[in-house]
Amino acid sequence: MDMIEVLNTFNLVPLAELEVGQHFYWQLGNLKLHGQVLMTSWFVIAVLIVASFAATRNIQRVPSGIQNVMEYALDFIRDLTKTQIGEKEYRPWVPFVGTLFLFIFISNWSGALVPWKLIHLPSGELAAPTSDINTTVALALLTSLAYFYAGLKKRGLGYFSKYIQPTPILLPINILEDFTKPLSLSFRLFGNILADELVVAVFILLVPLFIPLPVMILGLFTSAIQALIFATLAGAYIGEAIEGHGEEHHE
């Protein structure tokens, strides 16, 4: 799908290029990599590394500036993880859930705040890493591996007893549930971020002045919500795997 061709049929002058389904690849031997996704992902990782370094290089007893922001983010992530996993088990999972939240949050906002469209590539175009299905599927699969690991570490092979609870008749449904979790995580995040970028791009093409601004502000809000939803569900799945099917997180 090429929006430029559609607009040219109506003799409209394009102000931004919008293409879906075209990618910029790096060829390494027989391996083909999505170069545009790697570049934007490395940008997000670099932002997080620089922010972490700036917040910790001169730690003050009374935080201010970037240190205050990072400490607030850490407290928020710690509370989120504790709520979903439980007070007894949450500490080892704070780095994982926090990394998911911060990476998705910065990735989503980069799509709205960074003018990626000004950087021209031989094919395709740069965008938020989370607007590519490969990124969201990878994050969802990491979440699946995390909650399988959490369940096996905590409960051993008894973890697999959940598939026949409360009755063995539900075995196929319980197995299917583990396949639908990463699918729902990945497609929810991918669909929302891609839709937001498409809506903003279309508004910029058709009404380039003030109307896109409220849509962009709304996109920032929904992008933050999507990061929160992903991290919350990841924590909930890990907590469920640790505590077992049908058990409460807090005794």
Side-chain angles (χ1 to χ4, degrees):
M1 175 184 178
D2 191 342
M3 289 296 297
I4 299 301
E5 295 178 0
V6 175
L7 292 168
N8 285 340
T9 60
F10 294 95
N11 294 321
L12 296 176
V13 178
L15 298 176
E17 184 172 347
L18 178 63
E19 297 176 349
V20 178
Q22 297 187 18
H23 299 280
F24 173 59
Y25 293 106
W26 289 340
Q27 192 73 37
L28 299 178
N30 295 326
L31 186 63
K32 184 180 289 187
L33 304 176
H34 280 213
Q36 62 195 57
V37 177
L38 288 176
M39 285 189 286
T40 53
S41 297
W42 289 342
F43 171 81
V44 172
I45 293 170
V47 169
L48 291 173
I49 291 175
V50 170
S52 300
F53 177 77
T56 57
R57 67 186 180 90
N58 187 22
I59 298 179
Q60 302 294 325
R61 185 176 296 273
V62 180
S64 62
I66 186 65
Q67 180 186 342
N68 194 37
V69 173
M70 295 300 284
E71 288 191 7
Y72 174 80
L74 177 60
D75 289 339
F76 174 79
I77 292 166
R78 186 187 293 117
D79 291 340
L80 185 153
T81 309
K82 183 189 296 185
T83 300
Q84 298 303 319
I85 298 179
E87 189 170 356
K88 295 181 180 179
E89 306 285 349
Y90 82 96
R91 291 185 182 276
W93 293 102
V94 171
F96 178 75
V97 176
T99 300
L100 283 178
F101 175 78
L102 291 175
F103 179 80
I104 295 172
F105 180 83
I106 299 300
S107 294
N108 293 352
W109 274 38
S110 73
L113 299 178
V114 179
W116 294 119
K117 304 297 185 294
L118 298 180
I119 303 175
H120 297 285
L121 300 176
S123 61
E125 61 182 14
L126 296 177
T130 44
S131 68
D132 189 284
I133 188 64
N134 297 282
T135 304
T136 60
V137 167
L139 294 173
L141 290 177
L142 283 175
T143 302
S144 296
L145 290 175
Y147 70 71
F148 274 118
Y149 169 78
L152 289 171
K153 182 180 180 181
K154 177 68 176 181
R155 304 168 59 206
L157 294 178
Y159 169 76
F160 294 107
S161 65
K162 72 167 191 171
Y163 292 108
I164 57 174
Q165 293 178 358
T167 171
I169 297 176
L170 296 179
L171 176 63
I173 297 177
N174 289 333
I175 293 176
L176 183 62
E177 182 183 6
D178 278 337
F179 284 96
T180 58
K181 285 178 180 178
L183 284 176
S184 63
L185 281 175
S186 58
F187 280 97
R188 180 190 297 109
L189 180 59
F190 162 71
N192 279 280
I193 301 306
L194 179 61
D196 178 64
E197 291 196 353
L198 290 175
V199 169
V200 171
V202 169
F203 268 112
I204 291 176
L205 287 168
L206 299 179
V207 192
L209 294 179
F210 299 109
I211 292 182
L213 290 178
V215 179
M216 294 174 68
I217 295 173
L218 179 62
L220 291 176
F221 175 75
T222 57
S223 295
I225 294 298
Q226 288 304 314
L228 177 61
I229 291 174
F230 197 105
T232 300
L233 289 176
Y237 294 156
I238 293 170
E240 179 184 315
I242 291 175
E243 297 298 333
H245 183 79
E247 298 179 14
E248 297 291 337
H249 288 190
H250 301 280
E251 296 180 1

